[in-house]
Amino acid sequence: MNISGDDFYALINDVLQRRGADTLQRSLYRGLREAILNGRLLAESRLPGSRIIAEQAGISRNTVNAALEQLTLEGYLLR
């Protein structure tokens, strides 16, 4: 991963804290997509597993999986 674990979780927490009216899933999706498009998460980066992301962020694993699946469908991630 091109971003440290602490920075990755800081990114996730920041995204979720400023989500406004968005769902957790949509906020996570948008935050990760933005990080990919801005180069904060580079190609070939390996993200932590959905269980770990969910546990660290304090959200449901289903929420994480749905956001990651949407990014995969759009070609931003390989799973």
Side-chain angles (χ1 to χ4, degrees):
M1 180 164 33
N2 69 303
I3 185 172
S4 75
D6 289 340
D7 288 342
F8 178 75
Y9 293 114
L11 166 81
I12 298 297
N13 286 328
D14 181 53
V15 163
L16 296 178
Q17 286 178 356
R18 58 182 172 91
R19 70 185 176 107
D22 278 348
T23 64
L24 291 171
Q25 174 188 333
R26 187 76 176 157
S27 294
L28 184 58
Y29 157 78
R30 284 184 177 177
L32 290 174
R33 181 177 175 270
E34 182 180 308
I36 292 166
L37 292 174
N38 291 335
R40 193 160 177 198
L41 290 175
L42 301 177
E44 305 295 323
S45 291
R46 292 183 56 93
L47 299 180
S50 61
R51 279 189 179 105
I52 295 170
I53 295 172
E55 183 179 308
Q56 290 291 322
I59 58 177
S60 163
R61 184 170 173 225
N62 289 337
T63 299
V64 173
N65 279 329
L68 296 178
E69 185 62 29
Q70 184 64 39
L71 290 164
T72 302
L73 289 171
E74 294 178 11
Y76 293 107
L77 295 179
L78 295 175
R79 289 186 86 184

